[in-house]
Amino acid sequence: MFIGPAECKSSVRYGDLRINRLRSVLASGVRPDGVSGQNTEAAVSVDRIRPAGGPGASDDSLWRLLYRYLWPFPYFRDVTRGKKLERQQSYRHNRAMRAHLPAFALKWALLTALCFGFGTALGSVAAPVVVTACFFVTGSWTLVVCVLLLTAWFWLTRFPELY
């Protein structure tokens, strides 16, 4: 696999860990296609640099994993920026990723049901009104996110080509 000039400044999917693949390949002295005998899993990784703890070690905190499990928006690209070709490619990428939206919407619908369930349960017992209100307000916010995800999924399913 040849790394061309367009791929020199590629960034990782999650946006917070940006690496320059060409520099890492040159620094390690290993080609990414595995031709060299020194290529190991830890030396060159397309998605992220592996921590020193070994191949199974993870540097993600619980909050980071929860964020990646619940928040789908980093997986999609902005179709309002760039030239026409870039916008088309971004829209096609979003259409390819739309298959994951129902799963995210289901997670948010479950959170909505839990928040409204806890709010209803606390409303029937002697609990502070503020706590009950917090559950209902949070449930309303999660319902908005769920409706937004379903709307995006219907939009990306209905309109195959935007440009």
Side-chain angles (χ1 to χ4, degrees):
M1 166 191 223
F2 176 76
I3 296 180
E7 296 176 331
C8 289
K9 300 240 180 201
S10 67
S11 60
V12 175
R13 175 183 305 168
Y14 302 113
D16 64 336
L17 178 64
R18 294 184 180 185
I19 60 173
N20 188 334
R21 290 188 342 185
L22 182 61
R23 285 187 184 167
S24 67
V25 169
L26 291 176
S28 67
V30 179
R31 288 179 46 187
D33 57 2
V35 172
S36 173
Q38 357 169 349
N39 188 5
T40 63
E41 234 183 276
V44 177
S45 175
V46 176
D47 287 339
R48 60 178 39 228
I49 298 173
R50 302 260 166 103
S58 175
D59 61 345
D60 287 339
S61 67
L62 177 65
W63 294 113
R64 179 72 179 153
L65 290 174
L66 188 64
Y67 169 78
R68 287 173 43 194
Y69 182 73
L70 290 175
W71 200 247
F73 303 111
Y75 300 111
F76 292 89
R77 297 181 184 162
D78 186 6
V79 296
T80 61
R81 293 190 179 171
K83 297 179 181 177
K84 185 176 181 180
L85 181 62
E86 293 169 346
R87 292 192 310 262
Q88 286 175 341
Q89 290 173 342
S90 295
Y91 191 75
R92 288 183 185 136
H93 169 78
N94 291 347
R95 279 193 42 87
M97 296 297 290
R98 79 180 186 272
H100 303 288
L101 284 174
F104 281 108
L106 183 65
K107 294 170 194 174
W108 282 94
L110 180 65
L111 284 175
T112 302
L114 284 174
C115 287
F116 281 124
F118 283 138
T120 304
L122 287 177
S124 63
V125 298
V129 176
V130 174
V131 176
T132 306
C134 285
F135 276 112
F136 282 119
V137 168
T138 305
S140 300
W141 290 341
T142 57
L143 181 64
V144 167
V145 173
C146 183
V147 168
L148 178 78
L149 291 173
L150 289 174
T151 304
W153 179 65
F154 283 129
W155 178 274
L156 289 171
T157 303
R158 170 65 179 95
F159 300 108
E161 281 299 322
L162 185 62
Y163 297 99

